[in-house]
Amino acid sequence: MGILDFLKRKPEPTATVAKERLRIIVAQERSTRGAPDYLPMMRNELLEVIKKYVHVDIEAININVERDSGHEVLELSVALPDGKPAATPAT
Amino acid sequence: MTAEIIVVTSGKGGVGKTTTSASLATGLAIAGKKVAVIDFDVGLRNLDLIMGCERRVVYDFVNVVHGEATLKQALIKDKRHENLYVLAASQTRDKDALTQEGVEKVLDGMSEDGFDYVVCDSPAGIEKGAHLAMYFADHAVVVVNPEVSSVRDSDRILGLLASKTRRAERGDGAIKQHLLLTRYNPARVANGDMLSVKDVEEILGIDVVGVIPESEQVLAASNSGVPVILDAESPAGQAYSDTVARILGEERPLRFTDVAKKGFFQRVFGG
Ligand SMILES: Nc1ncnc2c1ncn2[C@@H]1O[C@H](COP(=O)(O)OP(=O)(O)OP(=O)(O)O)[C@@H](O)[C@H]1O
Ligand SMILES: [Mg+2]
């Protein structure tokens, strides 16, 4: 091992990366648990529509099903890429 | 009197369900309970090997369900503990050999026979076999390894336990869930390349009932057909004893979760 290796910043431990990834995916799966089966499909189709206007990745789309007193609310959030104004609709 | 049904489940395969079922059932028997342990892995019988009774299997679980043998005929008495019995899985390839009514009948039969505990060793996955193993449970031991896919799968299983079981359907109180972290390697955790006990607890939102270290003696135990809990010298055996005591309501601190501190001679002379 050369002296340069000592000077380089230590990479993030993989366990920390694992924990963060699990935190997100577990939360997402819990929120859609027991939700309608069409949800993943709907998410994909929504992505196609949104992509016509803004460049976003599927990771930017979050679907939640909230249940409160008798009714269900489908919550959709799209994290828009920052700094960029929305593209003009493709025709 | 009704027997307490404990399912040992995980979602992901190969994480230590059968190892755990064998040690849990043996530990409960050592505590003086009358215990049966059932292999629900239809087509892939394995618990008999881990319990060391593979050559004494005459009738199996499916035979009892189909009325081809009585429960008494099919239960294999453990060589070491007279209040411990094994019900082997069938080697049939017919995955539909077990039915919900059939399983219920067998479990009711065990209650009538005065069993205190029935431990159900679930197959991997979330298909029919895993569903039947958990359906009638009062307690669930969810076996998880400190590894991403196992943790995610165990969260799926926790969700199913809370919704797809008889207790959930009838609304008569939730299943008691026990998270058991196995194949834990404190040295790798210290190095930052394995999820820690605390990480897993935080991600899943429940505390562990025990931590079983990765241990060479587990393979030795399965080689000889002796549940590892009977190897009182081994860290895994001791960790399983602690876990059984906790499931029975005792409070015990976690052991074997930190890197073993080397003694003076080891530090000076290495090893
Ligand atoms: N604490 C441990 N230390 C070392 N090895 C272990 C430990 N626990 C389990 N193993 C090993 O892991 C392997 C799988 O264990 P086991 O058969 O109990 O898993 P399983 O969850 O029942 O698998 P399946 O999903 O196929 O039924 C075995 O070889 C076993 O010896
Ligand atoms: Mg198994």
Side-chain angles (χ1 to χ4, degrees), chain B residues 206-221:
Chain B
I206 79 173
D207 289 349
V208 296
V209 71
V211 177
I212 313 297
E214 172 83 19
S215 154
E216 286 169 15
Q217 287 92 340
V218 173
L219 184 60

Side-chain angles (χ1 to χ4, degrees), chain B:
Chain B
M1 214 210 62
T2 54
E4 296 261 320
I5 316 289
I6 308 181
V7 61
V8 179
T9 183
S10 68
K12 188 169 158 61
V15 297
K17 292 179 292 297
T18 301
T19 305
T20 298
S21 299
S23 281
L24 172 59
T26 304
L28 290 169
I30 292 170
K33 310 292 180 186
K34 185 172 175 185
V35 186
V37 54
I38 308 181
D39 190 344
F40 272 76
D41 210 340
V42 173
L44 288 172
R45 178 191 291 166
N46 269 325
L47 180 68
D48 56 337
L49 277 174
I50 305 304
M51 294 293 295
C53 65
E54 70 280 3
R55 292 179 57 198
R56 289 187 291 139
V57 178
V58 181
Y59 294 110
D60 60 53
F61 192 12
V62 170
N63 291 140
V64 182
V65 165
H66 290 181
E68 295 149 4
T70 63
L71 197 50
K72 271 203 175 59
Q73 287 174 306
L75 283 172
I76 305 161
K77 195 173 184 153
D78 184 66
K79 282 180 293 211
R80 307 167 200 98
H81 307 91
E82 59 166 22
N83 48 339
L84 175 59
Y85 296 81
V86 179
L87 185 54
S90 161
Q91 288 290 41
T92 173
R93 276 182 293 169
D94 175 12
K95 290 283 173 197
D96 294 322
L98 290 182
T99 59
Q100 192 157 301
E101 301 71 48
V103 171
E104 184 171 23
K105 199 182 69 180
V106 171
L107 294 176
D108 286 348
M110 288 178 165
S111 284
E112 281 162 30
D113 285 353
F115 279 94
D116 298 304
Y117 286 95
V118 179
V119 176
C120 303
D121 180 17
S122 174
I126 53 171
E127 302 299 310
K128 190 174 175 200
H131 172 73
L132 287 176
M134 72 167 66
Y135 188 73
F136 298 100
D138 301 301
H139 297 251
V141 174
V142 177
V143 181
V144 60
N145 291 168
E147 177 269 323
V148 285
S149 44
S150 174
V151 173
R152 179 199 209 167
D153 286 1
S154 61
D155 193 61
R156 276 300 285 292
I157 286 292
L158 290 168
L160 293 175
L161 287 167
S163 61
K164 298 281 190 289
T165 52
R166 182 165 72 176
R167 274 181 172 270
E169 284 173 7
R170 289 189 177 166
D172 31 302
I175 289 187
K176 184 105 187 60
Q177 296 172 340
H178 310 277
L179 185 68
L180 182 64
L181 183 56
T182 70
R183 309 202 68 159
Y184 195 70
N185 186 330
R188 302 200 68 184
V189 173
N191 275 337
D193 45 39
M194 184 180 269
L195 292 164
S196 69
V197 181
K198 205 165 137 272
D199 290 339
V200 175
E201 288 181 333
E202 278 176 21
I203 295 161
L204 296 174
I206 79 173
D207 289 349
V208 296
V209 71
V211 177
I212 313 297
E214 172 83 19
S215 154
E216 286 169 15
Q217 287 92 340
V218 173
L219 184 60
S222 72
N223 283 342
S224 15
V226 181
V228 71
I229 196 171
L230 294 174
D231 182 353
E233 303 288 305
S234 73
Q238 294 174 48
Y240 271 119
S241 294
D242 288 350
T243 302
V244 174
R246 288 188 205 107
I247 289 175
L248 287 170
E250 216 178 287
E251 273 192 35
R252 290 197 184 181
L254 288 179
R255 292 192 279 171
F256 317 110
T257 51
D258 293 318
V259 184
K261 290 193 187 65
K262 287 188 176 180
F264 173 74
F265 284 100
Q266 278 172 305
R267 259 186 287 142
V268 174
F269 302 107

